Amino acid sequence: MSVIEKKLKDRSGSVCEISGAEHDLVVYTLLPHTAESLEHSVLVAKHLKDQIENPETTDEKDWRGLSESMWSEHLPVQILSWRMLARLKNTDLLDMMYLDEEALEWAKATGEGEEEDENKIVHKDSNGVTLLDGDSVVLIKDLDVKGATFTAKRGAAVHNIKLVWDDANLIEGRVENQNIYILTQYVKKTK
C-alpha cells in the first residue's frame, strides 16, 4: 500500500469517497494532475474508476452517492463529484454546488460539463473509446509507414499520443523512435 493510499484511507475511513463502498478500493488522481497526492487524489471503488476513465460505460445508478460526496470537505472529492454530475447532466445538484473560480477551472479541465458541440472533434479508438492527449494506445494491425523504411507492428505500444486537432481520425505518436501519424481506427486505448 502506498503512503498516499494509506493517507486517503485515513481521510475517508477506508471507504470509497463517492459511494461509501468498503471493498476493491483504488487511488484515482484527478486530471490534469498525474502524480498521486492527498491534494489531487481520491479513494474510489475500482468499478467507479473504470467508469470515470471510460465515459461510455457510465452507469447512473452507481453514482447515487454524488448527492453526499458533493458536500465533502475535501476539494478533490468535490471536483470529481462535479465532473460526474456534469457527465450525468444532473443540473439540479450541480446548481446547488459551489466551487470557487480556481476549483471550477480544475473541474472543467477534462471538458466535462461543456456543452455538446456537434462540430467538436472527438477522437475515438477502434472500440469507440474516447482518446485524449497523453493517452497510450496499442496498434491492432501492422501498418506500412509512408516515407519510412519500417512497418509499425501489430501490438506495438504508442505512449503519450497527441491528437491532430483538425482531424478526428488521426493521432500522432512515436513508433521506433520516429513520429508518425496513425489512423484512430487502427489503435486501441490501453489503461
Side-chain angles (χ1 to χ4, degrees):
M1 180 184 320
S2 71
V3 173
I4 296 301
E5 186 176 355
K6 182 174 179 349
K7 288 182 178 182
L8 288 173
K9 282 187 173 188
D10 290 346
R11 176 174 90 185
S12 70
S14 294
V15 298
C16 172
E17 293 184 275
I18 300 295
S19 69
E22 298 176 5
H23 303 289
D24 208 14
L25 302 176
V26 294
V27 175
Y28 175 71
T29 302
L30 283 84
L31 296 172
H33 305 284
T34 55
E36 289 182 1
S37 72
L38 208 52
E39 297 79 27
H40 303 125
S41 303
V42 295
L43 192 66
V44 294
K46 185 180 182 318
H47 74 283
L48 295 183
K49 180 181 182 205
D50 293 342
Q51 291 182 37
I52 294 165
E53 294 174 341
N54 299 298
E56 58 283 339
T57 66
T58 303
D59 186 350
E60 192 169 347
K61 68 180 180 291
D62 290 337
W63 295 93
R64 288 185 285 240
L66 290 172
S67 60
E68 290 183 34
S69 65
M70 65 187 260
W71 304 112
S72 171
E73 64 186 272
H74 306 291
L75 185 58
V77 179
Q78 292 175 28
I79 299 297
L80 180 56
S81 299
W82 187 95
R83 287 180 181 175
M84 292 312 299
L85 287 169
R87 180 184 296 174
L88 296 168
K89 300 188 180 351
N90 189 330
T91 52
D92 292 341
L93 291 180
L94 273 175
D95 288 345
M96 285 192 260
M97 273 192 89
Y98 172 77
L99 295 175
D100 65 34
E101 221 172 284
E102 191 175 313
L104 189 57
E105 191 175 310
W106 180 19
K108 290 182 175 181
T110 59
E112 219 60 81
E114 291 181 2
E115 290 300 315
E116 291 298 317
D117 179 359
E118 63 226 26
N119 298 324
K120 182 179 177 184
I121 292 178
V122 178
H123 294 72
K124 295 190 183 254
D125 75 358
S126 59
N127 294 327
V129 177
T130 301
L131 298 170
L132 301 171
D133 273 331
D135 280 347
S136 293
V137 297
V138 67
L139 301 180
I140 60 169
K141 72 175 268 183
D142 290 351
L143 300 174
D144 291 325
V145 180
K146 292 180 181 170
T149 58
F150 70 94
T151 299
K153 295 292 184 193
R154 176 177 181 226
V158 184
H159 302 288
N160 200 21
I161 64 167
K162 301 276 183 261
L163 305 179
V164 176
W165 68 272
D166 61 348
D167 189 338
N169 298 313
L170 280 179
I171 59 170
E172 186 179 353
R174 277 185 94 65
V175 176
E176 295 192 19
N177 292 323
Q178 194 167 344
N179 276 345
I180 63 171
Y181 290 100
I182 307 166
L183 289 171
T184 55
Q185 69 195 41
Y186 299 127
V187 300
K188 182 173 76 172
K189 183 175 176 176
T190 58
K191 296 262 179 214

Short mmCIF file of all heavy atoms in Angstrom, two decimals, residues 92-155:
data_model
loop_
_atom_site.label_atom_id
_atom_site.label_comp_id
_atom_site.label_asym_id
_atom_site.label_seq_id
_atom_site.Cartn_x
_atom_site.Cartn_y
_atom_site.Cartn_z
N ASP A 92 -29.79 19.74 -11.35
CA ASP A 92 -30.34 20.10 -10.03
C ASP A 92 -29.25 20.12 -8.97
O ASP A 92 -29.11 21.09 -8.22
CB ASP A 92 -31.44 19.11 -9.61
CG ASP A 92 -32.68 19.23 -10.49
OD1 ASP A 92 -32.84 20.27 -11.16
OD2 ASP A 92 -33.47 18.27 -10.52
N LEU A 93 -28.45 19.05 -8.90
CA LEU A 93 -27.37 19.00 -7.91
C LEU A 93 -26.23 19.95 -8.29
O LEU A 93 -25.64 20.59 -7.40
CB LEU A 93 -26.83 17.58 -7.76
CG LEU A 93 -27.79 16.57 -7.10
CD1 LEU A 93 -27.15 15.20 -7.00
CD2 LEU A 93 -28.25 17.04 -5.74
N LEU A 94 -25.93 20.06 -9.58
CA LEU A 94 -24.86 20.98 -9.99
C LEU A 94 -25.18 22.41 -9.59
O LEU A 94 -24.28 23.16 -9.18
CB LEU A 94 -24.66 20.93 -11.52
CG LEU A 94 -23.70 19.87 -12.04
CD1 LEU A 94 -23.70 19.87 -13.57
CD2 LEU A 94 -22.30 20.07 -11.52
N ASP A 95 -26.43 22.79 -9.72
CA ASP A 95 -26.83 24.17 -9.37
C ASP A 95 -26.65 24.44 -7.88
O ASP A 95 -26.48 25.58 -7.47
CB ASP A 95 -28.29 24.42 -9.77
CG ASP A 95 -28.47 24.55 -11.28
OD1 ASP A 95 -27.45 24.72 -11.99
OD2 ASP A 95 -29.62 24.46 -11.75
N MET A 96 -26.69 23.39 -7.06
CA MET A 96 -26.51 23.57 -5.61
C MET A 96 -25.04 23.67 -5.22
O MET A 96 -24.72 24.18 -4.16
CB MET A 96 -27.13 22.39 -4.86
CG MET A 96 -28.63 22.42 -4.81
SD MET A 96 -29.20 21.21 -3.61
CE MET A 96 -29.66 19.88 -4.68
N MET A 97 -24.15 23.16 -6.06
CA MET A 97 -22.72 23.13 -5.72
C MET A 97 -22.09 24.50 -5.88
O MET A 97 -22.45 25.24 -6.79
CB MET A 97 -21.97 22.16 -6.64
CG MET A 97 -21.97 20.74 -6.15
SD MET A 97 -20.81 19.74 -7.09
CE MET A 97 -19.32 19.98 -6.13
N TYR A 98 -21.13 24.78 -5.03
CA TYR A 98 -20.33 25.99 -5.20
C TYR A 98 -18.86 25.60 -5.23
O TYR A 98 -18.36 24.95 -4.32
CB TYR A 98 -20.56 27.00 -4.07
CG TYR A 98 -19.58 28.15 -4.18
CD1 TYR A 98 -19.77 29.16 -5.12
CD2 TYR A 98 -18.43 28.19 -3.41
CE1 TYR A 98 -18.85 30.18 -5.27
CE2 TYR A 98 -17.50 29.21 -3.55
CZ TYR A 98 -17.72 30.20 -4.48
OH TYR A 98 -16.80 31.21 -4.64
N LEU A 99 -18.19 26.01 -6.29
CA LEU A 99 -16.74 25.88 -6.38
C LEU A 99 -16.19 27.26 -6.70
O LEU A 99 -16.74 27.97 -7.55
CB LEU A 99 -16.34 24.91 -7.50
CG LEU A 99 -16.74 23.44 -7.34
CD1 LEU A 99 -16.38 22.65 -8.60
CD2 LEU A 99 -16.07 22.82 -6.13
N ASP A 100 -15.11 27.66 -6.02
CA ASP A 100 -14.52 28.96 -6.36
C ASP A 100 -13.95 28.86 -7.78
O ASP A 100 -13.90 27.79 -8.38
CB ASP A 100 -13.48 29.40 -5.33
CG ASP A 100 -12.26 28.51 -5.26
OD1 ASP A 100 -11.84 27.95 -6.29
OD2 ASP A 100 -11.71 28.37 -4.16
N GLU A 101 -13.52 30.01 -8.32
CA GLU A 101 -13.09 30.08 -9.71
C GLU A 101 -11.98 29.09 -10.04
O GLU A 101 -12.01 28.40 -11.06
CB GLU A 101 -12.62 31.52 -10.01
CG GLU A 101 -13.06 32.02 -11.36
CD GLU A 101 -12.74 33.49 -11.53
OE1 GLU A 101 -13.44 34.33 -10.95
OE2 GLU A 101 -11.77 33.76 -12.25
N GLU A 102 -10.98 29.01 -9.17
CA GLU A 102 -9.84 28.12 -9.41
C GLU A 102 -10.28 26.65 -9.39
O GLU A 102 -9.87 25.85 -10.23
CB GLU A 102 -8.78 28.37 -8.33
CG GLU A 102 -7.45 27.71 -8.60
CD GLU A 102 -6.43 28.10 -7.53
OE1 GLU A 102 -6.31 29.31 -7.21
OE2 GLU A 102 -5.76 27.18 -7.03
N ALA A 103 -11.14 26.29 -8.45
CA ALA A 103 -11.63 24.91 -8.35
C ALA A 103 -12.50 24.56 -9.56
O ALA A 103 -12.39 23.47 -10.12
CB ALA A 103 -12.42 24.72 -7.06
N LEU A 104 -13.33 25.50 -10.00
CA LEU A 104 -14.19 25.26 -11.16
C LEU A 104 -13.34 25.07 -12.42
O LEU A 104 -13.64 24.22 -13.26
CB LEU A 104 -15.17 26.42 -11.33
CG LEU A 104 -16.26 26.21 -12.38
CD1 LEU A 104 -17.08 24.96 -12.08
CD2 LEU A 104 -17.17 27.43 -12.45
N GLU A 105 -12.27 25.83 -12.54
CA GLU A 105 -11.35 25.68 -13.68
C GLU A 105 -10.74 24.27 -13.67
O GLU A 105 -10.65 23.62 -14.71
CB GLU A 105 -10.25 26.74 -13.59
CG GLU A 105 -9.41 26.85 -14.83
CD GLU A 105 -8.42 28.01 -14.72
OE1 GLU A 105 -8.85 29.13 -14.38
OE2 GLU A 105 -7.23 27.77 -14.98
N TRP A 106 -10.36 23.79 -12.50
CA TRP A 106 -9.82 22.43 -12.38
C TRP A 106 -10.90 21.40 -12.74
O TRP A 106 -10.66 20.44 -13.47
CB TRP A 106 -9.30 22.21 -10.96
CG TRP A 106 -8.71 20.85 -10.70
CD1 TRP A 106 -8.27 19.95 -11.64
CD2 TRP A 106 -8.51 20.24 -9.43
NE1 TRP A 106 -7.80 18.81 -11.01
CE2 TRP A 106 -7.94 18.96 -9.65
CE3 TRP A 106 -8.75 20.64 -8.12
CZ2 TRP A 106 -7.61 18.09 -8.62
CZ3 TRP A 106 -8.41 19.77 -7.09
CH2 TRP A 106 -7.85 18.52 -7.34
N ALA A 107 -12.11 21.62 -12.25
CA ALA A 107 -13.21 20.69 -12.53
C ALA A 107 -13.48 20.59 -14.03
O ALA A 107 -13.76 19.51 -14.54
CB ALA A 107 -14.47 21.13 -11.78
N LYS A 108 -13.36 21.70 -14.73
CA LYS A 108 -13.65 21.73 -16.16
C LYS A 108 -12.46 21.34 -17.03
O LYS A 108 -12.58 21.26 -18.25
CB LYS A 108 -14.12 23.13 -16.57
CG LYS A 108 -15.49 23.49 -16.02
CD LYS A 108 -15.92 24.86 -16.48
CE LYS A 108 -17.33 25.17 -16.04
NZ LYS A 108 -17.78 26.51 -16.51
N ALA A 109 -11.32 21.06 -16.42
CA ALA A 109 -10.08 20.79 -17.17
C ALA A 109 -10.18 19.60 -18.12
O ALA A 109 -9.46 19.53 -19.10
CB ALA A 109 -8.90 20.59 -16.21
N THR A 110 -11.08 18.66 -17.84
CA THR A 110 -11.21 17.48 -18.71
C THR A 110 -12.28 17.67 -19.78
O THR A 110 -12.50 16.78 -20.59
CB THR A 110 -11.58 16.23 -17.88
OG1 THR A 110 -12.81 16.49 -17.21
CG2 THR A 110 -10.49 15.87 -16.90
N GLY A 111 -12.95 18.81 -19.78
CA GLY A 111 -14.01 19.04 -20.76
C GLY A 111 -15.37 18.57 -20.28
O GLY A 111 -16.37 18.75 -20.96
N GLU A 112 -15.43 17.97 -19.11
CA GLU A 112 -16.69 17.51 -18.54
C GLU A 112 -17.55 18.74 -18.27
O GLU A 112 -17.07 19.75 -17.78
CB GLU A 112 -16.39 16.79 -17.23
CG GLU A 112 -17.18 15.57 -16.92
CD GLU A 112 -17.10 14.42 -17.89
OE1 GLU A 112 -16.14 13.65 -17.84
OE2 GLU A 112 -18.02 14.30 -18.70
N GLY A 113 -18.81 18.68 -18.63
CA GLY A 113 -19.73 19.77 -18.35
C GLY A 113 -19.81 20.82 -19.45
O GLY A 113 -20.62 21.71 -19.38
N GLU A 114 -18.97 20.68 -20.47
CA GLU A 114 -19.06 21.63 -21.58
C GLU A 114 -20.25 21.24 -22.44
O GLU A 114 -20.60 20.07 -22.57
CB GLU A 114 -17.77 21.59 -22.42
CG GLU A 114 -16.59 22.17 -21.69
CD GLU A 114 -15.32 22.14 -22.54
OE1 GLU A 114 -15.37 21.72 -23.70
OE2 GLU A 114 -14.29 22.55 -22.01
N GLU A 115 -20.85 22.24 -23.02
CA GLU A 115 -21.99 21.96 -23.89
C GLU A 115 -21.53 21.08 -25.04
O GLU A 115 -20.45 21.25 -25.58
CB GLU A 115 -22.56 23.28 -24.45
CG GLU A 115 -23.26 24.13 -23.42
CD GLU A 115 -24.43 23.43 -22.79
OE1 GLU A 115 -25.23 22.82 -23.52
OE2 GLU A 115 -24.55 23.48 -21.56
N GLU A 116 -22.39 20.12 -25.39
CA GLU A 116 -22.08 19.26 -26.53
C GLU A 116 -22.10 20.11 -27.79
O GLU A 116 -23.06 20.81 -28.07
CB GLU A 116 -23.10 18.14 -26.65
CG GLU A 116 -23.01 17.12 -25.53
CD GLU A 116 -21.68 16.39 -25.49
OE1 GLU A 116 -21.18 16.00 -26.55
OE2 GLU A 116 -21.14 16.24 -24.38
N ASP A 117 -21.05 20.05 -28.52
CA ASP A 117 -20.94 20.81 -29.76
C ASP A 117 -20.84 19.79 -30.89
O ASP A 117 -19.91 19.00 -30.95
CB ASP A 117 -19.67 21.68 -29.70
CG ASP A 117 -19.44 22.49 -30.96
OD1 ASP A 117 -20.25 22.37 -31.91
OD2 ASP A 117 -18.46 23.25 -30.99
N GLU A 118 -21.85 19.83 -31.79
CA GLU A 118 -21.84 18.82 -32.85
C GLU A 118 -20.63 18.97 -33.76
O GLU A 118 -20.24 18.04 -34.45
CB GLU A 118 -23.13 18.86 -33.66
CG GLU A 118 -23.34 20.17 -34.38
CD GLU A 118 -24.74 20.71 -34.21
OE1 GLU A 118 -25.40 20.41 -33.23
OE2 GLU A 118 -25.15 21.47 -35.10
N ASN A 119 -19.99 20.14 -33.75
CA ASN A 119 -18.80 20.34 -34.58
C ASN A 119 -17.51 20.01 -33.84
O ASN A 119 -16.43 20.09 -34.40
CB ASN A 119 -18.73 21.80 -35.07
CG ASN A 119 -19.93 22.16 -35.92
OD1 ASN A 119 -20.41 21.32 -36.68
ND2 ASN A 119 -20.42 23.37 -35.79
N LYS A 120 -17.63 19.67 -32.56
CA LYS A 120 -16.46 19.35 -31.76
C LYS A 120 -15.82 18.07 -32.28
O LYS A 120 -16.49 17.06 -32.51
CB LYS A 120 -16.86 19.18 -30.29
CG LYS A 120 -15.71 18.91 -29.37
CD LYS A 120 -16.21 18.79 -27.94
CE LYS A 120 -15.06 18.44 -27.03
NZ LYS A 120 -15.50 18.21 -25.67
N ILE A 121 -14.52 18.10 -32.45
CA ILE A 121 -13.80 16.93 -32.95
C ILE A 121 -13.47 16.03 -31.77
O ILE A 121 -12.82 16.45 -30.82
CB ILE A 121 -12.54 17.37 -33.71
CG1 ILE A 121 -12.96 18.08 -34.99
CG2 ILE A 121 -11.64 16.18 -34.01
CD1 ILE A 121 -11.83 18.62 -35.82
N VAL A 122 -13.95 14.79 -31.85
CA VAL A 122 -13.70 13.80 -30.80
C VAL A 122 -12.96 12.63 -31.43
O VAL A 122 -13.41 12.06 -32.41
CB VAL A 122 -15.02 13.32 -30.17
CG1 VAL A 122 -14.76 12.26 -29.11
CG2 VAL A 122 -15.79 14.49 -29.57
N HIS A 123 -11.82 12.30 -30.87
CA HIS A 123 -11.01 11.18 -31.36
C HIS A 123 -11.43 9.92 -30.63
O HIS A 123 -11.46 9.90 -29.40
CB HIS A 123 -9.52 11.46 -31.12
CG HIS A 123 -9.00 12.62 -31.91
ND1 HIS A 123 -9.31 13.92 -31.62
CD2 HIS A 123 -8.17 12.65 -32.99
CE1 HIS A 123 -8.71 14.72 -32.48
NE2 HIS A 123 -8.01 13.97 -33.32
N LYS A 124 -11.74 8.86 -31.37
CA LYS A 124 -12.15 7.59 -30.77
C LYS A 124 -11.32 6.46 -31.37
O LYS A 124 -11.01 6.48 -32.56
CB LYS A 124 -13.63 7.32 -31.01
CG LYS A 124 -14.51 8.36 -30.31
CD LYS A 124 -15.95 7.96 -30.33
CE LYS A 124 -16.80 9.02 -29.69
NZ LYS A 124 -17.29 8.67 -28.40
N ASP A 125 -10.99 5.49 -30.52
CA ASP A 125 -10.21 4.34 -31.00
C ASP A 125 -11.11 3.34 -31.72
O ASP A 125 -12.30 3.60 -31.93
CB ASP A 125 -9.43 3.69 -29.85
CG ASP A 125 -10.29 2.87 -28.90
OD1 ASP A 125 -11.53 2.80 -29.09
OD2 ASP A 125 -9.73 2.28 -27.97
N SER A 126 -10.56 2.19 -32.09
CA SER A 126 -11.31 1.19 -32.86
C SER A 126 -12.52 0.65 -32.11
O SER A 126 -13.45 0.14 -32.72
CB SER A 126 -10.38 0.04 -33.23
OG SER A 126 -9.84 -0.55 -32.07
N ASN A 127 -12.53 0.78 -30.79
CA ASN A 127 -13.66 0.32 -29.98
C ASN A 127 -14.62 1.44 -29.61
O ASN A 127 -15.54 1.23 -28.83
CB ASN A 127 -13.15 -0.35 -28.70
CG ASN A 127 -12.39 -1.62 -28.99
OD1 ASN A 127 -12.70 -2.33 -29.93
ND2 ASN A 127 -11.38 -1.90 -28.18
N GLY A 128 -14.38 2.65 -30.11
CA GLY A 128 -15.25 3.78 -29.80
C GLY A 128 -14.92 4.47 -28.50
O GLY A 128 -15.69 5.31 -28.02
N VAL A 129 -13.76 4.14 -27.89
CA VAL A 129 -13.34 4.77 -26.64
C VAL A 129 -12.69 6.12 -26.96
O VAL A 129 -11.84 6.20 -27.85
CB VAL A 129 -12.36 3.86 -25.86
CG1 VAL A 129 -11.86 4.55 -24.60
CG2 VAL A 129 -13.02 2.53 -25.52
N THR A 130 -13.08 7.16 -26.25
CA THR A 130 -12.55 8.50 -26.50
C THR A 130 -11.07 8.56 -26.14
O THR A 130 -10.65 8.07 -25.09
CB THR A 130 -13.33 9.54 -25.68
OG1 THR A 130 -14.70 9.46 -26.04
CG2 THR A 130 -12.81 10.95 -25.93
N LEU A 131 -10.29 9.15 -27.04
CA LEU A 131 -8.85 9.32 -26.83
C LEU A 131 -8.56 10.75 -26.42
O LEU A 131 -9.20 11.69 -26.91
CB LEU A 131 -8.08 9.00 -28.13
CG LEU A 131 -8.21 7.57 -28.66
CD1 LEU A 131 -7.61 7.46 -30.05
CD2 LEU A 131 -7.53 6.60 -27.71
N LEU A 132 -7.57 10.92 -25.54
CA LEU A 132 -7.15 12.24 -25.09
C LEU A 132 -5.65 12.38 -25.30
O LEU A 132 -4.93 11.37 -25.35
CB LEU A 132 -7.46 12.42 -23.60
CG LEU A 132 -8.92 12.28 -23.18
CD1 LEU A 132 -9.03 12.27 -21.67
CD2 LEU A 132 -9.75 13.39 -23.77
N ASP A 133 -5.17 13.62 -25.40
CA ASP A 133 -3.73 13.85 -25.45
C ASP A 133 -3.07 13.15 -24.27
O ASP A 133 -3.56 13.24 -23.14
CB ASP A 133 -3.41 15.35 -25.37
CG ASP A 133 -3.43 16.03 -26.73
OD1 ASP A 133 -3.14 15.37 -27.74
OD2 ASP A 133 -3.73 17.23 -26.79
N GLY A 134 -1.96 12.48 -24.54
CA GLY A 134 -1.21 11.83 -23.47
C GLY A 134 -1.61 10.39 -23.22
O GLY A 134 -0.94 9.69 -22.46
N ASP A 135 -2.69 9.91 -23.85
CA ASP A 135 -3.09 8.52 -23.68
C ASP A 135 -2.06 7.58 -24.28
O ASP A 135 -1.22 7.98 -25.10
CB ASP A 135 -4.44 8.25 -24.36
CG ASP A 135 -5.63 8.72 -23.53
OD1 ASP A 135 -5.43 9.01 -22.33
OD2 ASP A 135 -6.73 8.79 -24.08
N SER A 136 -2.16 6.31 -23.92
CA SER A 136 -1.36 5.26 -24.53
C SER A 136 -2.30 4.36 -25.33
O SER A 136 -3.42 4.08 -24.90
CB SER A 136 -0.66 4.43 -23.47
OG SER A 136 0.31 5.20 -22.80
N VAL A 137 -1.82 3.93 -26.49
CA VAL A 137 -2.61 3.05 -27.35
C VAL A 137 -1.72 1.91 -27.83
O VAL A 137 -0.49 1.97 -27.71
CB VAL A 137 -3.20 3.80 -28.58
CG1 VAL A 137 -4.17 4.89 -28.15
CG2 VAL A 137 -2.10 4.39 -29.45
N VAL A 138 -2.35 0.88 -28.37
CA VAL A 138 -1.62 -0.22 -28.97
C VAL A 138 -2.18 -0.40 -30.39
O VAL A 138 -3.36 -0.21 -30.64
CB VAL A 138 -1.76 -1.51 -28.11
CG1 VAL A 138 -3.16 -2.03 -28.11
CG2 VAL A 138 -0.78 -2.54 -28.54
N LEU A 139 -1.28 -0.71 -31.33
CA LEU A 139 -1.71 -0.92 -32.72
C LEU A 139 -2.42 -2.26 -32.84
O LEU A 139 -1.97 -3.26 -32.27
CB LEU A 139 -0.50 -0.89 -33.66
CG LEU A 139 0.33 0.39 -33.65
CD1 LEU A 139 1.49 0.28 -34.63
CD2 LEU A 139 -0.52 1.60 -33.99
N ILE A 140 -3.52 -2.30 -33.60
CA ILE A 140 -4.28 -3.54 -33.73
C ILE A 140 -3.99 -4.24 -35.06
O ILE A 140 -4.54 -5.31 -35.32
CB ILE A 140 -5.80 -3.31 -33.56
CG1 ILE A 140 -6.33 -2.34 -34.61
CG2 ILE A 140 -6.10 -2.82 -32.15
CD1 ILE A 140 -7.86 -2.27 -34.66
N LYS A 141 -3.15 -3.65 -35.90
CA LYS A 141 -2.72 -4.32 -37.13
C LYS A 141 -1.39 -3.73 -37.57
O LYS A 141 -1.01 -2.64 -37.15
CB LYS A 141 -3.78 -4.22 -38.22
CG LYS A 141 -3.95 -2.83 -38.85
CD LYS A 141 -4.94 -2.84 -40.00
CE LYS A 141 -4.21 -3.07 -41.29
NZ LYS A 141 -4.98 -3.05 -42.49
N ASP A 142 -0.66 -4.48 -38.41
CA ASP A 142 0.59 -3.97 -38.97
C ASP A 142 0.28 -2.80 -39.89
O ASP A 142 -0.68 -2.86 -40.68
CB ASP A 142 1.30 -5.06 -39.78
CG ASP A 142 1.87 -6.17 -38.91
OD1 ASP A 142 1.86 -6.01 -37.67
OD2 ASP A 142 2.33 -7.18 -39.47
N LEU A 143 1.07 -1.74 -39.78
CA LEU A 143 0.85 -0.55 -40.61
C LEU A 143 2.11 -0.20 -41.38
O LEU A 143 3.18 -0.06 -40.79
CB LEU A 143 0.45 0.64 -39.73
CG LEU A 143 -0.81 0.50 -38.88
CD1 LEU A 143 -0.99 1.70 -37.98
CD2 LEU A 143 -2.03 0.33 -39.77
N ASP A 144 1.98 -0.07 -42.70
CA ASP A 144 3.10 0.40 -43.50
C ASP A 144 3.20 1.91 -43.28
O ASP A 144 2.21 2.63 -43.40
CB ASP A 144 2.87 0.12 -44.99
CG ASP A 144 2.94 -1.37 -45.31
OD1 ASP A 144 3.74 -2.06 -44.67
OD2 ASP A 144 2.18 -1.82 -46.19
N VAL A 145 4.39 2.37 -42.95
CA VAL A 145 4.59 3.78 -42.66
C VAL A 145 5.11 4.46 -43.91
O VAL A 145 6.20 4.14 -44.40
CB VAL A 145 5.57 3.97 -41.48
CG1 VAL A 145 5.76 5.45 -41.19
CG2 VAL A 145 5.06 3.25 -40.25
N LYS A 146 4.30 5.39 -44.44
CA LYS A 146 4.70 6.09 -45.67
C LYS A 146 5.92 6.95 -45.41
O LYS A 146 6.01 7.63 -44.39
CB LYS A 146 3.55 6.96 -46.18
CG LYS A 146 2.38 6.16 -46.68
CD LYS A 146 1.27 7.06 -47.18
CE LYS A 146 0.11 6.20 -47.64
NZ LYS A 146 -1.07 6.98 -47.92
N GLY A 147 6.87 6.91 -46.32
CA GLY A 147 8.07 7.75 -46.21
C GLY A 147 9.08 7.21 -45.21
O GLY A 147 10.04 7.89 -44.87
N ALA A 148 8.86 6.00 -44.70
CA ALA A 148 9.79 5.41 -43.75
C ALA A 148 10.16 4.01 -44.22
O ALA A 148 9.53 3.45 -45.11
CB ALA A 148 9.17 5.35 -42.36
N THR A 149 11.17 3.45 -43.62
CA THR A 149 11.67 2.14 -44.07
C THR A 149 11.26 1.03 -43.11
O THR A 149 11.95 0.03 -43.01
CB THR A 149 13.21 2.18 -44.17
OG1 THR A 149 13.72 2.55 -42.88
CG2 THR A 149 13.66 3.17 -45.22
N PHE A 150 10.16 1.20 -42.38
CA PHE A 150 9.74 0.16 -41.46
C PHE A 150 8.22 0.03 -41.46
O PHE A 150 7.50 0.89 -41.94
CB PHE A 150 10.25 0.44 -40.04
CG PHE A 150 9.59 1.61 -39.35
CD1 PHE A 150 8.49 1.42 -38.52
CD2 PHE A 150 10.06 2.91 -39.53
CE1 PHE A 150 7.89 2.49 -37.89
CE2 PHE A 150 9.46 3.98 -38.89
CZ PHE A 150 8.37 3.77 -38.07
N THR A 151 7.77 -1.08 -40.91
CA THR A 151 6.35 -1.33 -40.71
C THR A 151 6.08 -1.27 -39.21
O THR A 151 6.78 -1.90 -38.43
CB THR A 151 5.96 -2.72 -41.26
OG1 THR A 151 6.24 -2.74 -42.66
CG2 THR A 151 4.49 -3.01 -41.02
N ALA A 152 5.09 -0.49 -38.82
CA ALA A 152 4.69 -0.44 -37.41
C ALA A 152 3.91 -1.71 -37.14
O ALA A 152 2.88 -1.97 -37.76
CB ALA A 152 3.84 0.80 -37.15
N LYS A 153 4.43 -2.53 -36.23
CA LYS A 153 3.89 -3.86 -35.99
C LYS A 153 2.67 -3.86 -35.08
O LYS A 153 2.58 -3.06 -34.14
CB LYS A 153 4.96 -4.77 -35.37
CG LYS A 153 6.15 -5.04 -36.28
CD LYS A 153 5.73 -5.88 -37.44
CE LYS A 153 6.94 -6.23 -38.30
NZ LYS A 153 6.55 -6.77 -39.58
N ARG A 154 1.76 -4.78 -35.36
CA ARG A 154 0.59 -5.00 -34.52
C ARG A 154 1.06 -5.29 -33.10
O ARG A 154 2.02 -6.03 -32.89
CB ARG A 154 -0.19 -6.20 -35.06
CG ARG A 154 -1.36 -6.57 -34.22
CD ARG A 154 -2.11 -7.71 -34.88
NE ARG A 154 -3.25 -8.05 -34.07
CZ ARG A 154 -3.59 -9.27 -33.75
NH1 ARG A 154 -2.87 -10.29 -34.16
NH2 ARG A 154 -4.64 -9.48 -33.01
N GLY A 155 0.40 -4.69 -32.12
CA GLY A 155 0.78 -4.89 -30.72
C GLY A 155 1.77 -3.87 -30.21
O GLY A 155 2.04 -3.82 -29.01
#
